Amino acid sequence: MTEGANTDFAFKILLLGDSSVGKTCFLKRYTDNTFQDAYLSTIGFDFKFKFVTLDNGKTVKVQLWDTAGQERFRTIAKSYYKGAHGIILIYDVTNRKTYDNIKKWLNQIRDEASNRISIILVANKIDCEDTRQVTKEEGEALAKASNLPIFEASAKDSINVNESFQFLIEKINENVSNIITQNVTKLNNNKKQNR
Ligand code: GTP
């Protein structure tokens, strides 16, 4: 076990997006550094743990949830939002429909998740330049309109996979630290008032 890690607490991260955008591949590239061309649709969900070292040297435990993008699993997916700290919302640059559906996913996230949740957008499969349907500029416009960071990535060629996860995990750590500080301040203020 990694020294200094708090094993009881894990940052919960969900991978969301339409079916076949590459959620499973994106996760496998990050956790096992592998990639497979064959498409095996995720049934329900799957999750993995990973210990991650932050820029400040602290080690955190991360629980990574790979959810099925297929419509028939969407309702089950709703319960996954419970307790989630971060979301990687993925579309496929070679399939415009998956880009158009990002707004639907954001609506569902706003309805189901905590309003403190950290979200990043990932435009996956940028290795397929020949079949690209969504430009980098369109991705950036969507990111700007949604007020979210975006990473152009490829699970296949291992582009921006680690960077996306690291960025999100650092962001979650900032949020969690802020909440702890706020709670400690509230607790101290309550103690003072009760004296
Ligand atoms: P569901 O489980 O149905 O929600 O799909 P998913 O989003 O988990 O997609 P998955 O990771 O199974 O990938 C779908 C297909 O896209 C597979 O054939 C992958 O090999 C392919 N794929 C995933 N990422 C990339 C990528 O970065 N580049 C290319 N060229 N293909 C990719």
Side-chain angles (χ1 to χ4, degrees), residues 5-12 49-51 58-63 83 85 172-173 176-177 179-180:
N6 178 351
T7 49
D8 298 331
F9 180 73
F11 292 172
K12 181 178 175 183
F49 282 105
K50 189 175 163 91
F51 285 100
K58 181 175 144 189
T59 302
V60 292
K61 188 179 179 185
V62 180
Q63 190 185 29
H85 299 94
I172 294 171
N173 185 55
V176 169
S177 306
I179 293 166
I180 292 171

Side-chain angles (χ1 to χ4, degrees), residues 16-23 74 89-105 121-125 133-134 142:
L16 296 178
D18 282 3
S19 191
S20 90
V21 294
K23 297 180 295 296
R74 286 271 173 87
L89 182 53
I90 307 184
Y91 68 87
D92 171 355
V93 297
T94 70
N95 181 344
R96 179 165 292 276
K97 184 131 199 302
T98 67
Y99 167 82
D100 293 339
N101 278 341
I102 289 292
K103 288 204 179 94
K104 279 194 202 156
W105 282 105
L121 285 176
V122 166
N124 191 34
K125 307 196 190 179
Q133 294 180 358
V134 184
L142 173 65

